[in-house]
Amino acid sequence: MKILVTFCFLLLIPMFLLSTATSAVIRTVEGIATAVSDGDTFKLGTLEGTKLRVRLYGIDAPEREKINLRTGMISKHGQPYGEEAFGALKSKISDKKVRVDIIDIDRYKRMVGIVNLNGRNINLEMVKEGWAWAYREYLERPYASEYLDAEKEARDKRLGLWQQYNPRPPWEFRKLMRIR
């Protein structure tokens, strides 16, 4: 199985290197969302039998508390609305056939892409419903204005995580956790 994953990964690298725009689709894959990790990451079982980790492009959801299964202790602290963001993504895609337009491969070797389910942009839905921030650091054209507008609308309507006064973005939370 590792050989198959490595082979698929190696097939994606040339496409990634040949893409001229950083937000251009380098490949589209279809499969079943087999497990949701948090509000912006899940596992995809492709129709060919490959298992991929997928990170939703252009969004960053609140961090979810992680429990060490061996010790039962908290191994990673979470943020307010982390569980709700996880639940929102899980209810949208879990055990469903999705299409992922892969835009990038991140440093953790996850496919970074836009998730489509029956013509719906799930990434954008997560921002519109207030379960994630538009991830400005990595968000580029042609998606930036649409995602930023969706975030502003969710903020104005106080949806999801925007019910909090001045919520801490996940990228700041992660940085703070590394310092501790």
Side-chain angles (χ1 to χ4, degrees), residues 119-134:
R120 295 168 31 215
N121 179 333
I122 299 301
N123 306 39
L124 186 59
E125 279 185 18
M126 291 294 287
V127 176
K128 278 185 178 180
E129 294 171 8
W131 301 123
W133 278 259

Side-chain angles (χ1 to χ4, degrees), residues 64-69 71-78:
R64 187 174 169 225
E65 185 175 88
K66 304 287 193 269
I67 306 289
N68 182 313
L69 297 176
T71 65
M73 304 287 289
I74 296 172
S75 62
K76 185 177 172 187
H77 290 283

Side-chain angles (χ1 to χ4, degrees), residues 32-36 42-43 86-98 117:
I32 304 295
T34 58
V36 175
F42 70 99
K43 290 183 181 169
F86 159 75
L89 184 60
K90 185 174 180 178
S91 71
K92 289 175 184 299
I93 66 170
S94 191
D95 299 319
K96 295 182 178 130
K97 184 179 176 184
V98 297
L117 173 66

Side-chain angles (χ1 to χ4, degrees), residues 18-33:
L18 292 173
S19 72
T20 55
T22 54
S23 61
V25 175
I26 57 175
R27 181 158 188 186
T28 299
V29 293
E30 288 186 353
I32 304 295

Side-chain angles (χ1 to χ4, degrees), residues 35-48:
V36 175
S37 307
D38 56 31
D40 54 31
T41 308
F42 70 99
K43 290 183 181 169
L44 179 75
T46 69
L47 303 178
E48 296 80 25

Side-chain angles (χ1 to χ4, degrees), residues 127 130-133 151 154-155 158-165 167:
V127 176
W131 301 123
W133 278 259
E151 181 185 302
R155 240 183 236 252
R158 302 190 59 77
L159 298 175
L161 66 91
W162 301 111
Q163 294 172 56
Q164 303 171 82
Y165 171 75

